[in-house]
mmCIF file of all heavy atoms in Angstrom:
data_model
loop_
_atom_site.group_PDB
_atom_site.id
_atom_site.type_symbol
_atom_site.label_atom_id
_atom_site.label_comp_id
_atom_site.label_asym_id
_atom_site.label_seq_id
_atom_site.Cartn_x
_atom_site.Cartn_y
_atom_site.Cartn_z
ATOM 1 N N ASP A 153 -10.307 12.284 -30.034
ATOM 2 C CA ASP A 153 -10.271 13.448 -30.911
ATOM 3 C C ASP A 153 -9.129 13.230 -31.900
ATOM 4 O O ASP A 153 -7.966 13.518 -31.600
ATOM 5 C CB ASP A 153 -10.048 14.727 -30.102
ATOM 6 C CG ASP A 153 -10.084 15.981 -30.972
ATOM 7 O OD1 ASP A 153 -10.610 15.903 -32.108
ATOM 8 O OD2 ASP A 153 -9.578 17.029 -30.527
ATOM 9 N N GLY A 154 -9.461 12.667 -33.052
ATOM 10 C CA GLY A 154 -8.426 12.285 -33.996
ATOM 11 C C GLY A 154 -7.605 11.133 -33.436
ATOM 12 O O GLY A 154 -8.141 10.103 -33.035
ATOM 13 N N SER A 155 -6.300 11.325 -33.370
ATOM 14 C CA SER A 155 -5.430 10.284 -32.818
ATOM 15 C C SER A 155 -5.160 10.510 -31.325
ATOM 16 O O SER A 155 -4.369 9.786 -30.723
ATOM 17 C CB SER A 155 -4.098 10.240 -33.574
ATOM 18 O OG SER A 155 -3.432 11.494 -33.469
ATOM 19 N N ASP A 156 -5.795 11.514 -30.737
ATOM 20 C CA ASP A 156 -5.614 11.831 -29.322
ATOM 21 C C ASP A 156 -6.855 11.437 -28.519
ATOM 22 O O ASP A 156 -7.907 11.111 -29.061
ATOM 23 C CB ASP A 156 -5.367 13.331 -29.127
ATOM 24 C CG ASP A 156 -4.062 13.801 -29.732
ATOM 25 O OD1 ASP A 156 -3.167 12.949 -29.965
ATOM 26 O OD2 ASP A 156 -3.939 15.008 -29.987
ATOM 27 N N PHE A 157 -6.695 11.516 -27.190
ATOM 28 C CA PHE A 157 -7.828 11.419 -26.269
ATOM 29 C C PHE A 157 -7.833 12.659 -25.387
ATOM 30 O O PHE A 157 -6.770 13.162 -24.998
ATOM 31 C CB PHE A 157 -7.724 10.167 -25.389
ATOM 32 C CG PHE A 157 -8.048 8.895 -26.124
ATOM 33 C CD1 PHE A 157 -7.046 8.153 -26.729
ATOM 34 C CD2 PHE A 157 -9.364 8.447 -26.223
ATOM 35 C CE1 PHE A 157 -7.342 6.987 -27.417
ATOM 36 C CE2 PHE A 157 -9.663 7.281 -26.905
ATOM 37 C CZ PHE A 157 -8.649 6.551 -27.502
ATOM 38 N N VAL A 158 -9.018 13.161 -25.088
ATOM 39 C CA VAL A 158 -9.162 14.342 -24.244
ATOM 40 C C VAL A 158 -9.870 13.914 -22.956
ATOM 41 O O VAL A 158 -11.005 13.431 -22.982
ATOM 42 C CB VAL A 158 -9.954 15.453 -24.953
ATOM 43 C CG1 VAL A 158 -10.105 16.662 -24.040
ATOM 44 C CG2 VAL A 158 -9.253 15.837 -26.256
ATOM 45 N N ILE A 159 -9.179 14.100 -21.827
ATOM 46 C CA ILE A 159 -9.653 13.588 -20.536
ATOM 47 C C ILE A 159 -10.331 14.694 -19.746
ATOM 48 O O ILE A 159 -9.801 15.805 -19.613
ATOM 49 C CB ILE A 159 -8.467 13.017 -19.713
ATOM 50 C CG1 ILE A 159 -7.734 11.936 -20.519
ATOM 51 C CG2 ILE A 159 -8.948 12.453 -18.377
ATOM 52 C CD1 ILE A 159 -6.432 11.485 -19.873
ATOM 53 N N ASN A 160 -11.508 14.370 -19.184
ATOM 54 C CA ASN A 160 -12.213 15.275 -18.285
ATOM 55 C C ASN A 160 -12.780 14.482 -17.109
ATOM 56 O O ASN A 160 -13.363 13.407 -17.299
ATOM 57 C CB ASN A 160 -13.364 15.985 -19.017
ATOM 58 C CG ASN A 160 -12.881 17.122 -19.890
ATOM 59 O OD1 ASN A 160 -12.600 18.218 -19.412
ATOM 60 N ND2 ASN A 160 -12.771 16.844 -21.187
ATOM 61 N N GLY A 161 -12.588 15.026 -15.920
ATOM 62 C CA GLY A 161 -13.126 14.364 -14.737
ATOM 63 C C GLY A 161 -12.314 14.685 -13.507
ATOM 64 O O GLY A 161 -11.298 15.392 -13.578
ATOM 65 N N THR A 162 -12.775 14.172 -12.370
ATOM 66 C CA THR A 162 -12.100 14.406 -11.091
ATOM 67 C C THR A 162 -11.813 13.077 -10.410
ATOM 68 O O THR A 162 -12.681 12.200 -10.337
ATOM 69 C CB THR A 162 -12.975 15.269 -10.156
ATOM 70 O OG1 THR A 162 -13.185 16.543 -10.766
ATOM 71 C CG2 THR A 162 -12.304 15.462 -8.798
ATOM 72 N N LYS A 163 -10.606 12.946 -9.908
ATOM 73 C CA LYS A 163 -10.198 11.781 -9.124
ATOM 74 C C LYS A 163 -10.021 12.206 -7.670
ATOM 75 O O LYS A 163 -9.607 13.332 -7.387
ATOM 76 C CB LYS A 163 -8.903 11.191 -9.672
ATOM 77 C CG LYS A 163 -9.004 10.680 -11.104
ATOM 78 C CD LYS A 163 -9.950 9.509 -11.227
ATOM 79 C CE LYS A 163 -9.986 8.943 -12.629
ATOM 80 N NZ LYS A 163 -10.848 7.747 -12.734
ATOM 81 N N ARG A 164 -10.312 11.321 -6.750
ATOM 82 C CA ARG A 164 -10.317 11.663 -5.321
ATOM 83 C C ARG A 164 -9.400 10.746 -4.509
ATOM 84 O O ARG A 164 -9.229 9.580 -4.844
ATOM 85 C CB ARG A 164 -11.744 11.588 -4.795
ATOM 86 C CG ARG A 164 -11.896 11.855 -3.284
ATOM 87 C CD ARG A 164 -13.207 12.513 -2.973
ATOM 88 N NE ARG A 164 -13.259 13.881 -3.507
ATOM 89 C CZ ARG A 164 -14.341 14.639 -3.465
ATOM 90 N NH1 ARG A 164 -15.461 14.179 -2.941
ATOM 91 N NH2 ARG A 164 -14.311 15.875 -3.957
ATOM 92 N N TYR A 165 -8.836 11.307 -3.431
ATOM 93 C CA TYR A 165 -7.974 10.578 -2.487
ATOM 94 C C TYR A 165 -6.771 9.946 -3.208
ATOM 95 O O TYR A 165 -6.389 8.806 -2.934
ATOM 96 C CB TYR A 165 -8.745 9.481 -1.742
ATOM 97 C CG TYR A 165 -10.026 9.928 -1.097
ATOM 98 C CD1 TYR A 165 -11.165 9.129 -1.178
ATOM 99 C CD2 TYR A 165 -10.114 11.124 -0.401
ATOM 100 C CE1 TYR A 165 -12.361 9.520 -0.582
ATOM 101 C CE2 TYR A 165 -11.299 11.528 0.200
ATOM 102 C CZ TYR A 165 -12.424 10.722 0.102
ATOM 103 O OH TYR A 165 -13.596 11.111 0.682
ATOM 104 N N ILE A 166 -6.167 10.687 -4.114
ATOM 105 C CA ILE A 166 -5.079 10.131 -4.915
ATOM 106 C C ILE A 166 -3.759 10.306 -4.163
ATOM 107 O O ILE A 166 -3.279 11.422 -3.948
ATOM 108 C CB ILE A 166 -5.029 10.798 -6.308
ATOM 109 C CG1 ILE A 166 -6.394 10.684 -6.993
ATOM 110 C CG2 ILE A 166 -3.931 10.161 -7.143
ATOM 111 C CD1 ILE A 166 -6.955 9.274 -7.081
ATOM 112 N N THR A 167 -3.185 9.181 -3.777
ATOM 113 C CA THR A 167 -1.963 9.182 -2.971
ATOM 114 C C THR A 167 -0.783 9.705 -3.781
ATOM 115 O O THR A 167 -0.574 9.313 -4.929
ATOM 116 C CB THR A 167 -1.656 7.756 -2.476
ATOM 117 O OG1 THR A 167 -2.769 7.280 -1.710
ATOM 118 C CG2 THR A 167 -0.410 7.748 -1.596
ATOM 119 N N ASN A 168 -0.023 10.591 -3.154
ATOM 120 C CA ASN A 168 1.200 11.183 -3.709
ATOM 121 C C ASN A 168 0.944 12.048 -4.943
ATOM 122 O O ASN A 168 1.879 12.350 -5.699
ATOM 123 C CB ASN A 168 2.238 10.098 -4.042
ATOM 124 C CG ASN A 168 2.789 9.434 -2.804
ATOM 125 O OD1 ASN A 168 2.845 10.037 -1.737
ATOM 126 N ND2 ASN A 168 3.186 8.174 -2.924
ATOM 127 N N ALA A 169 -0.296 12.495 -5.134
ATOM 128 C CA ALA A 169 -0.594 13.341 -6.295
ATOM 129 C C ALA A 169 0.233 14.620 -6.296
ATOM 130 O O ALA A 169 0.643 15.103 -7.364
ATOM 131 C CB ALA A 169 -2.088 13.676 -6.330
ATOM 132 N N VAL A 170 0.484 15.184 -5.113
ATOM 133 C CA VAL A 170 1.238 16.443 -5.053
ATOM 134 C C VAL A 170 2.695 16.258 -5.470
ATOM 135 O O VAL A 170 3.367 17.241 -5.813
ATOM 136 C CB VAL A 170 1.180 17.061 -3.641
ATOM 137 C CG1 VAL A 170 -0.229 17.508 -3.304
ATOM 138 C CG2 VAL A 170 1.711 16.104 -2.582
ATOM 139 N N TYR A 171 3.181 15.027 -5.435
ATOM 140 C CA TYR A 171 4.564 14.765 -5.832
ATOM 141 C C TYR A 171 4.657 14.170 -7.231
ATOM 142 O O TYR A 171 5.759 14.001 -7.773
ATOM 143 C CB TYR A 171 5.214 13.763 -4.874
ATOM 144 C CG TYR A 171 5.155 14.122 -3.410
ATOM 145 C CD1 TYR A 171 4.584 13.250 -2.480
ATOM 146 C CD2 TYR A 171 5.685 15.324 -2.941
ATOM 147 C CE1 TYR A 171 4.542 13.558 -1.133
ATOM 148 C CE2 TYR A 171 5.650 15.639 -1.586
ATOM 149 C CZ TYR A 171 5.073 14.754 -0.684
ATOM 150 O OH TYR A 171 5.034 15.072 0.648
ATOM 151 N N ALA A 172 3.552 13.803 -7.825
ATOM 152 C CA ALA A 172 3.532 12.933 -9.003
ATOM 153 C C ALA A 172 4.254 13.521 -10.204
ATOM 154 O O ALA A 172 4.153 14.708 -10.500
ATOM 155 C CB ALA A 172 2.100 12.594 -9.381
ATOM 156 N N GLY A 173 4.963 12.626 -10.890
ATOM 157 C CA GLY A 173 5.518 12.947 -12.198
ATOM 158 C C GLY A 173 4.693 12.332 -13.302
ATOM 159 O O GLY A 173 4.741 12.778 -14.447
ATOM 160 N N VAL A 174 3.941 11.279 -12.954
ATOM 161 C CA VAL A 174 3.078 10.627 -13.927
ATOM 162 C C VAL A 174 1.879 10.029 -13.204
ATOM 163 O O VAL A 174 2.007 9.514 -12.083
ATOM 164 C CB VAL A 174 3.839 9.536 -14.718
ATOM 165 C CG1 VAL A 174 4.345 8.422 -13.798
ATOM 166 C CG2 VAL A 174 2.979 8.967 -15.839
ATOM 167 N N PHE A 175 0.722 10.123 -13.832
ATOM 168 C CA PHE A 175 -0.493 9.509 -13.310
ATOM 169 C C PHE A 175 -0.898 8.353 -14.219
ATOM 170 O O PHE A 175 -0.860 8.480 -15.455
ATOM 171 C CB PHE A 175 -1.660 10.513 -13.299
ATOM 172 C CG PHE A 175 -1.501 11.645 -12.323
ATOM 173 C CD1 PHE A 175 -1.066 12.890 -12.764
ATOM 174 C CD2 PHE A 175 -1.804 11.478 -10.978
ATOM 175 C CE1 PHE A 175 -0.930 13.943 -11.876
ATOM 176 C CE2 PHE A 175 -1.668 12.524 -10.090
ATOM 177 C CZ PHE A 175 -1.232 13.765 -10.534
ATOM 178 N N THR A 176 -1.305 7.246 -13.615
ATOM 179 C CA THR A 176 -2.050 6.224 -14.342
ATOM 180 C C THR A 176 -3.518 6.564 -14.141
ATOM 181 O O THR A 176 -4.054 6.419 -13.036
ATOM 182 C CB THR A 176 -1.749 4.812 -13.827
ATOM 183 O OG1 THR A 176 -0.380 4.493 -14.061
ATOM 184 C CG2 THR A 176 -2.624 3.788 -14.545
ATOM 185 N N VAL A 177 -4.156 7.047 -15.194
ATOM 186 C CA VAL A 177 -5.529 7.546 -15.107
ATOM 187 C C VAL A 177 -6.481 6.545 -15.744
ATOM 188 O O VAL A 177 -6.277 6.123 -16.893
ATOM 189 C CB VAL A 177 -5.664 8.914 -15.821
ATOM 190 C CG1 VAL A 177 -7.095 9.431 -15.706
ATOM 191 C CG2 VAL A 177 -4.684 9.921 -15.240
ATOM 192 N N PHE A 178 -7.504 6.181 -15.005
ATOM 193 C CA PHE A 178 -8.528 5.276 -15.528
ATOM 194 C C PHE A 178 -9.722 6.126 -15.966
ATOM 195 O O PHE A 178 -10.305 6.851 -15.164
ATOM 196 C CB PHE A 178 -8.920 4.241 -14.470
ATOM 197 C CG PHE A 178 -7.792 3.293 -14.168
ATOM 198 C CD1 PHE A 178 -6.829 3.616 -13.220
ATOM 199 C CD2 PHE A 178 -7.667 2.109 -14.874
ATOM 200 C CE1 PHE A 178 -5.765 2.766 -12.978
ATOM 201 C CE2 PHE A 178 -6.605 1.250 -14.633
ATOM 202 C CZ PHE A 178 -5.648 1.575 -13.684
ATOM 203 N N ALA A 179 -10.030 6.025 -17.246
ATOM 204 C CA ALA A 179 -11.074 6.874 -17.825
ATOM 205 C C ALA A 179 -11.907 6.062 -18.815
ATOM 206 O O ALA A 179 -11.418 5.102 -19.421
ATOM 207 C CB ALA A 179 -10.453 8.084 -18.529
ATOM 208 N N ARG A 180 -13.140 6.485 -18.971
ATOM 209 C CA ARG A 180 -14.061 5.773 -19.860
ATOM 210 C C ARG A 180 -13.819 6.221 -21.301
ATOM 211 O O ARG A 180 -14.076 7.370 -21.662
ATOM 212 C CB ARG A 180 -15.504 6.046 -19.432
ATOM 213 C CG ARG A 180 -16.522 5.147 -20.138
ATOM 214 C CD ARG A 180 -17.858 5.148 -19.423
ATOM 215 N NE ARG A 180 -17.760 4.663 -18.052
ATOM 216 C CZ ARG A 180 -17.660 3.370 -17.709
ATOM 217 N NH1 ARG A 180 -17.634 2.445 -18.650
ATOM 218 N NH2 ARG A 180 -17.575 3.032 -16.444
ATOM 219 N N THR A 181 -13.308 5.299 -22.108
ATOM 220 C CA THR A 181 -13.036 5.586 -23.511
ATOM 221 C C THR A 181 -14.162 5.111 -24.425
ATOM 222 O O THR A 181 -14.200 5.469 -25.604
ATOM 223 C CB THR A 181 -11.705 4.939 -23.936
ATOM 224 O OG1 THR A 181 -11.616 3.609 -23.393
ATOM 225 C CG2 THR A 181 -10.527 5.757 -23.427
ATOM 226 N N ASP A 182 -15.051 4.296 -23.897
ATOM 227 C CA ASP A 182 -16.257 3.907 -24.636
ATOM 228 C C ASP A 182 -17.454 4.556 -23.949
ATOM 229 O O ASP A 182 -17.920 4.078 -22.907
ATOM 230 C CB ASP A 182 -16.412 2.386 -24.635
ATOM 231 C CG ASP A 182 -17.672 1.932 -25.377
ATOM 232 O OD1 ASP A 182 -18.430 2.804 -25.863
ATOM 233 O OD2 ASP A 182 -17.903 0.710 -25.448
ATOM 234 N N PRO A 183 -17.985 5.647 -24.483
ATOM 235 C CA PRO A 183 -19.057 6.378 -23.802
ATOM 236 C C PRO A 183 -20.355 5.587 -23.683
ATOM 237 O O PRO A 183 -21.216 5.936 -22.876
ATOM 238 C CB PRO A 183 -19.253 7.624 -24.690
ATOM 239 C CG PRO A 183 -18.750 7.211 -26.035
ATOM 240 C CD PRO A 183 -17.625 6.266 -25.776
ATOM 241 N N ASN A 184 -20.483 4.518 -24.445
ATOM 242 C CA ASN A 184 -21.711 3.731 -24.406
ATOM 243 C C ASN A 184 -21.664 2.593 -23.391
ATOM 244 O O ASN A 184 -22.671 1.937 -23.148
ATOM 245 C CB ASN A 184 -22.000 3.151 -25.799
ATOM 246 C CG ASN A 184 -22.235 4.236 -26.832
ATOM 247 O OD1 ASN A 184 -22.938 5.214 -26.566
ATOM 248 N ND2 ASN A 184 -21.633 4.094 -28.003
ATOM 249 N N SER A 185 -20.492 2.355 -22.811
ATOM 250 C CA SER A 185 -20.370 1.277 -21.827
ATOM 251 C C SER A 185 -20.841 1.758 -20.458
ATOM 252 O O SER A 185 -20.826 2.956 -20.168
ATOM 253 C CB SER A 185 -18.924 0.796 -21.730
ATOM 254 O OG SER A 185 -18.111 1.831 -21.185
ATOM 255 N N LYS A 186 -21.257 0.818 -19.617
ATOM 256 C CA LYS A 186 -21.756 1.185 -18.289
ATOM 257 C C LYS A 186 -21.041 0.417 -17.180
ATOM 258 O O LYS A 186 -21.463 0.435 -16.033
ATOM 259 C CB LYS A 186 -23.269 0.929 -18.215
ATOM 260 C CG LYS A 186 -24.087 1.772 -19.195
ATOM 261 C CD LYS A 186 -25.569 1.590 -18.982
ATOM 262 C CE LYS A 186 -26.375 2.373 -20.014
ATOM 263 N NZ LYS A 186 -26.093 3.818 -19.977
ATOM 264 N N ASP A 187 -19.963 -0.273 -17.515
ATOM 265 C CA ASP A 187 -19.209 -0.995 -16.503
ATOM 266 C C ASP A 187 -17.729 -0.871 -16.826
ATOM 267 O O ASP A 187 -17.317 0.025 -17.564
ATOM 268 C CB ASP A 187 -19.649 -2.461 -16.431
ATOM 269 C CG ASP A 187 -19.553 -3.162 -17.783
ATOM 270 O OD1 ASP A 187 -18.800 -2.681 -18.668
ATOM 271 O OD2 ASP A 187 -20.240 -4.192 -17.961
ATOM 272 N N GLY A 188 -16.926 -1.776 -16.306
ATOM 273 C CA GLY A 188 -15.493 -1.669 -16.517
ATOM 274 C C GLY A 188 -15.039 -1.994 -17.925
ATOM 275 O O GLY A 188 -13.873 -1.749 -18.267
ATOM 276 N N SER A 189 -15.939 -2.516 -18.766
ATOM 277 C CA SER A 189 -15.528 -2.953 -20.103
ATOM 278 C C SER A 189 -15.153 -1.809 -21.030
ATOM 279 O O SER A 189 -14.493 -2.026 -22.044
ATOM 280 C CB SER A 189 -16.651 -3.779 -20.750
ATOM 281 O OG SER A 189 -17.811 -2.987 -20.916
#
Side-chain angles (χ1 to χ4, degrees):
D153 183 18
S155 60
D156 294 340
F157 285 92
V158 179
I159 304 171
N160 282 280
T162 298
K163 298 295 184 177
R164 177 148 292 174
Y165 309 138
I166 306 306
T167 302
N168 292 332
V170 293
Y171 306 124
V174 62
F175 292 100
T176 296
V177 181
F178 293 86
R180 191 163 300 282
T181 43
D182 179 359
N184 297 317
S185 67
K186 297 186 183 301
D187 55 21
S189 63

